[in-house]
Amino acid sequence: MTVKKAAIKSSESQGASIKESGVYVGKLDMVTLETYESGSQAVRFEFKTPDERKAFFNVFVTDKSGNETFGAGMVQSLAHLFGLKEFDYVKKMVDVYDYTSKLNIVKELNVFDCFLNKMVGIIVQKELSIYKGELKDKLNLLGFYDASTMLTANEMIQGKVEPKTVKQKIAWLEQNPVKDKRGATPAPPAPPAPPAARGASQQAYQADDLDDDIPF
């Protein structure tokens, strides 16, 4: 399936995972702030399309020293798309699946309720790598966009009416449907970080319009 078809066609199967590069529209079932032993933080997104296809993304927002990373701007762009000038998480007990015990358990999580169950578009690229001799694949989240207008947060901030960024990214993904790291030396993990200062006003970020590998 080409990127363009993946972007336009929903899915052939119910309850499957999103596997290919492209743009997709759906809702965020769960958004949580995860803190790692190193002290770095990431926002975990659980995304689901109307036909029940799912994808999971960890976007690092601070490094171990507490400095904001590239991902913080991406989270702030999502807040702008939803019309949120401020956002924060709440601690709550959530029924989650535990992969160790293979059972559902109740666990306290830091949940961004303000992001849940709203329609949003995502732009993703498939990545291939080798880990311990085994082929691994995952989807990298490149950005969010408004589900109805296809405008990114930066375009909305600039008062644009034509969604050029998403169209450019679709065209770029047509030429670069896979990020192949199978022959590359593994890079050190990117430092994580929490979304903009909790409760702080959001500023105009361009993170939703750019990606390290996208030359525009």
Side-chain angles (χ1 to χ4, degrees):
M1 179 184 291
T2 66
V3 170
K4 187 173 294 183
K5 288 181 180 178
I8 297 173
K9 189 174 181 179
S10 241
S11 174
E12 290 121 9
S13 60
Q14 298 291 319
S17 296
I18 296 174
K19 291 290 188 181
E20 303 301 328
S21 299
V23 297
Y24 300 85
V25 172
K27 293 183 178 181
L28 297 171
D29 269 356
M30 183 59 63
V31 183
T32 57
L33 179 66
E34 310 286 335
T35 300
Y36 297 83
E37 290 184 4
S38 66
S40 60
Q41 293 180 303
V43 176
R44 176 176 171 79
F45 296 95
E46 297 184 15
F47 175 85
K48 184 169 68 176
T49 64
D51 61 0
E52 301 295 319
R53 277 186 301 168
K54 299 180 180 180
F56 303 88
F57 307 100
N58 285 334
V59 176
F60 288 103
V61 290
T62 62
D63 60 23
K64 62 183 180 180
S65 299
N67 301 311
E68 286 191 352
T69 63
F70 176 84
M74 188 180 294
V75 177
Q76 291 167 342
S77 75
L78 176 65
H80 186 83
L81 291 175
F82 289 159
L84 302 172
K85 293 184 178 180
E86 298 181 355
F87 62 93
D88 201 353
Y89 61 78
V90 294
K91 290 185 177 294
K92 60 192 302 185
M93 303 305 293
V94 180
D95 188 24
V96 297
Y97 182 76
D98 180 69
Y99 288 92
T100 302
S101 64
K102 301 188 184 305
L103 296 171
N104 283 340
I105 62 173
V106 177
K107 183 178 181 180
E108 184 179 64
L109 298 176
N110 299 320
V111 181
F112 290 95
D113 282 335
C114 54
F115 292 153
L116 303 185
N117 300 312
K118 296 181 176 71
M119 294 300 293
V120 69
I122 63 171
I123 309 165
V124 297
Q125 183 189 34
K126 184 175 183 176
E127 177 182 300
L128 297 178
S129 61
I130 299 292
Y131 180 70
K132 293 184 177 180
E134 294 185 4
L135 177 64
K136 301 292 182 181
D137 67 271
K138 68 174 184 176
L139 288 179
N140 291 323
L141 179 64
L142 303 186
F144 295 102
Y145 64 91
D146 182 74
S148 58
T149 66
M150 293 186 72
L151 292 169
T152 62
N154 192 49
E155 288 173 327
M156 294 171 68
I157 290 169
Q158 295 180 14
K160 302 291 182 63
V161 294
E162 183 181 351
K164 291 184 178 180
T165 300
V166 172
K167 292 178 180 178
Q168 289 174 332
K169 286 189 175 181
I170 290 174
W172 184 83
L173 286 171
E174 287 283 359
Q175 301 300 317
N176 303 272
V178 175
K179 183 176 183 178
D180 194 341
K181 297 180 66 177
R182 288 173 292 182
T185 302
R198 299 199 322 228
S201 296
Q202 305 310 303
Q203 301 176 354
Y205 275 80
Q206 298 185 13
D208 63 317
D209 290 348
L210 300 173
D211 182 81
D212 291 342
D213 297 325
I214 301 181
F216 51 75

